[in-house]
Amino acid sequence: MGIKKLSSNIARGLSHTRELTKNLLKTQKSEIDISGDILIETRGLCTDYDGLPIHRDLNFCVKRGEIFGILGGSGSGKSTLLRSMLYLKKPSGGEINIFSQNIWNLEPNKRNLILDRCGVMFQFGALFSSMSVLDNVGVPLSQKGYFP
């Protein structure tokens, strides 16, 4: 396949994907209220690994427009907190609210609507080294079928 034909196919595919995404987002917007001032909030969050406490009664909130940093030494629980916020590690207690919804108590389709609006940027780029930049950018599309 020639480069022009490949470029044309990619452009057509991206155009089609944008249209699908617009239609999908129109139906999804009504299902999640993102208008509040508090975007992320933890209340009494507790996490542990095999009974070893990592967080006990952790409370904080991130408001719209704020810049919020999580700082701490090695092993202090920064990554554990992020994993819990991204629905990768279930807390042993408390709640994590994103857009005023406790993500650990939501039905899967509603939770996915919220998590589709979340992203993580790793410290060292975290691109797949075996893939081109274009292929790396396309990973979410191939996994979800659309860009949220």
Side-chain angles (χ1 to χ4, degrees):
M1 181 181 300
I3 193 75
K4 281 187 177 185
K5 187 170 183 171
L6 180 61
S7 296
S8 174
N9 287 344
I10 290 172
R12 254 194 324 274
L14 287 174
S15 175
H16 180 67
T17 300
R18 276 190 218 104
E19 193 60 36
L20 287 173
T21 301
K22 279 185 209 173
N23 292 335
L24 185 63
L25 289 176
K26 283 179 190 173
T27 61
Q28 289 179 352
K29 282 182 182 175
S30 62
E31 297 181 40
I32 302 173
D33 179 14
I34 61 170
S35 63
D37 285 335
I38 296 176
L39 303 179
I40 302 169
E41 179 180 25
T42 67
R43 292 185 193 159
L45 185 67
C46 299
T47 54
D48 59 62
Y49 284 105
D50 297 325
L52 177 67
I54 305 298
H55 303 114
R56 286 290 170 249
D57 199 30
L58 179 63
N59 298 289
F60 69 86
C61 69
V62 180
K63 296 179 181 174
R64 187 176 303 280
E66 280 186 331
I67 297 173
F68 189 87
I70 300 171
L71 305 174
S74 178
S76 63
K78 303 176 300 290
S79 295
T80 299
L81 174 60
L82 290 174
R83 289 175 52 80
S84 293
M85 291 169 59
L86 293 169
Y87 201 75
L88 298 173
K89 169 148 182 53
K90 185 172 175 73
S92 54
E95 52 186 72
I96 298 171
N97 299 309
I98 301 176
F99 303 126
S100 301
Q101 302 285 319
N102 185 335
I103 62 168
W104 287 94
N105 290 339
L106 287 175
E107 56 194 52
N109 63 337
K110 197 160 189 177
R111 179 177 49 250
N112 288 337
L113 290 175
I114 290 173
L115 293 178
D116 281 350
R117 298 186 62 89
C118 300
V120 175
M121 187 162 78
F122 295 94
Q123 185 173 354
F124 296 107
L127 294 176
F128 296 105
S129 60
S130 63
M131 299 166 63
S132 70
V133 172
L134 180 60
D135 290 338
N136 270 277
V137 170
V139 168
L141 178 60
S142 65
Q143 290 179 344
K144 291 282 189 187
Y146 65 94
F147 284 113

